[in-house]
Amino acid sequence: AIHLAESGGDSVHAGGSLRLSCEASGFTFSDYTMNWVRRPPGKSLEWVSCIGPSNDNPRYSEAVQGRFIISRDNAAGTVYLQMNSLKIEDSAVYYCARGVGPTYCGEHVTYQGQGTRVTVSE
């Protein structure tokens, strides 16, 4: 079975940084584009970032462009999200996610982990 396990969420002050990690198993990790999505309190799921199978073609939502960096280690089956210059509006539960197809990048994901909570305060 596909399993995605996020970690690294925490409470930080605005302007701070966090690094999220997601360990994947149950599929050939290096074949798939991986996504990060988030659910802010009281809001719907929103797409944050994706990265291609070969650690290529990173893409970001406008909300995080220039502040977040996505990367992956295929040997370790892990995808990361480095979050810098955090804002209060970045507070959310962050999920590592994957679509059905190997190239899917977006919020309509099929597989996601249990999430890790990020809280940004003043």
Side-chain angles (χ1 to χ4, degrees):
I2 293 172
H3 186 62
L4 301 168
E6 303 91 341
S7 62
D10 205 345
S11 296
V12 296
H13 291 294
S17 297
L18 282 175
R19 189 192 197 204
L20 306 184
S21 300
C22 171
E23 295 185 17
S25 61
F27 64 102
T28 305
F29 181 75
S30 58
D31 283 351
Y32 285 85
T33 290
M34 294 298 297
N35 294 265
W36 285 96
V37 296
R38 67 186 182 186
R39 187 183 298 278
K43 296 184 179 180
S44 58
L45 199 67
E46 60 184 50
W47 174 75
V48 174
S49 181
C50 70
I51 188 164
S54 301
N55 207 18
D56 58 323
N57 196 28
R59 295 171 60 187
Y60 302 93
S61 69
E62 286 190 12
V64 308
Q65 178 75 48
R67 299 187 297 121
F68 290 12
I69 301 171
I70 190 171
S71 62
R72 65 192 293 164
D73 181 344
N74 284 344
T78 302
V79 59
Y80 305 97
L81 187 67
Q82 177 67 42
M83 305 188 297
N84 301 318
S85 302
L86 282 161
K87 303 177 180 180
I88 292 175
E89 52 264 42
D90 293 320
S91 295
V93 179
Y94 284 73
Y95 301 90
C96 166
R98 205 206 84 181
V100 172
T103 62
Y104 183 74
C105 177
E107 75 271 22
H108 300 296
V109 293
T110 302
Y111 304 99
Q112 62 187 65
Q114 81 289 347
T116 187
R117 185 176 299 275
V118 173
T119 303
V120 185
S121 59
E122 292 183 351

